[in-house]
């Protein structure tokens, strides 16, 4: 299932938003802000880019038929491998979000680029749940949870810029 989201950071340039996305303290605070009960964030600079890895346990905000498979909480592992800026200062990242212990993941790309009086942040990916017969019914629920997490982090980020 395709996932495509776009967010605007009004009044914040690409480098300011990127600085937030690779700020270990911000990403840690964002986990707490989203209700994660246990989390670990690492940021490893790589050249002009960075790799951000987030492992968090959070309430399973999923329908009951999915919770029967996952339990009341899910452990999520998110990895973002950010490139250095291109000639225009824009950045991209390879993104992978997995539910640990479950055959569910999203693999995609994030883009951060200048737009009008601020920055645009997009995430495009494929959500896949590899469970025979019911995987396709669960994919929209996983995509919804990813969208909610993205939106909450962007809203929290705007309050910090």
């Amino acid at each position: 299932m395709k996932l495509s989201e776009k967010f605007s950071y009004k009044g914040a340039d690409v480098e300011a938003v990127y600085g937030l996305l690779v700020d270990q303290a911000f990403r840690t605070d964002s986990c707490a802000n989203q209700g994660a009960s246990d989390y670990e964030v690492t940021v490893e600079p790589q050249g002009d880019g960075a790799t951000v890895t987030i492992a968090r346990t959070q309430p399973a905000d999923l329908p009951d038929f999915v919770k029967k498979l996952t339990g009341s909480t899910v452990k999520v592992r998110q990895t973002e491998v950010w490139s250095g800026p291109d000639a225009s200062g824009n950045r991209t990242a390879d993104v992978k979000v997995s539910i640990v212990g479950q055959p569910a993941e999203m693999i995609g790309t994030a883009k951060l680029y200048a737009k009008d009086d601020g920055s645009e942040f997009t995430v495009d990916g494929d959500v896949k749940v590899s469970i025979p017969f019911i995987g396709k019914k669960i994919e929209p629920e996983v995509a919804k949870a990813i969208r909610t997490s993205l939106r909450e982090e962007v809203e929290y980020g705007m309050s910090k810029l």
Side-chain angles (χ1 to χ4, degrees):
M1 165 176 194
K2 298 286 184 199
L3 177 136
S4 186
E5 291 296 308
K6 184 190 297 189
F7 304 95
S8 296
Y9 284 90
K10 299 284 185 206
D13 66 16
V14 170
E15 279 307 302
V17 177
Y18 175 74
L20 201 61
L21 294 175
V22 297
D23 181 316
Q24 188 166 351
F26 167 74
R27 298 305 286 269
T28 298
D29 290 348
S30 182
C31 288
N33 185 60
Q34 292 187 48
S37 58
D38 184 36
Y39 40 87
E40 182 179 346
V41 177
T42 59
V43 178
E44 300 171 25
Q46 295 182 326
D48 290 337
T51 297
V52 178
T53 305
I54 302 168
R56 65 185 181 267
T57 301
Q58 60 192 57
D61 186 17
L62 300 164
D64 288 341
F65 82 95
V66 181
K67 284 185 188 177
K68 287 180 182 176
L69 300 170
T70 64
S72 61
T73 62
V74 291
K75 185 166 187 171
V76 178
R77 181 175 177 83
Q78 179 174 327
T79 305
E80 304 163 8
V81 181
W82 286 96
S83 69
D86 67 13
S88 300
N90 302 323
R91 292 185 179 262
T92 60
D94 292 326
V95 179
K96 182 175 181 180
V97 179
S98 303
I99 298 177
V100 177
Q102 300 293 330
E105 67 182 10
M106 189 278 295
I107 296 176
T109 305
K111 295 180 181 172
L112 183 58
Y113 55 93
K115 177 83 172 185
D116 301 328
D117 64 341
S119 303
E120 292 280 317
F121 176 64
T122 63
V123 177
D124 294 290
D126 291 306
V127 176
K128 180 103 173 111
V129 177
S130 300
I131 301 175
F133 306 114
I134 62 169
K136 294 285 184 214
K137 291 181 181 177
I138 297 172
E139 287 172 2
E141 300 302 331
V142 172
K144 179 181 168 188
I146 291 170
R147 282 187 188 99
T148 299
S149 179
L150 283 167
R151 184 177 57 253
E152 288 176 359
E153 186 162 74
V154 168
E155 289 171 359
Y156 186 62
M158 282 300 296
S159 75
K160 300 296 181 185
L161 290 171

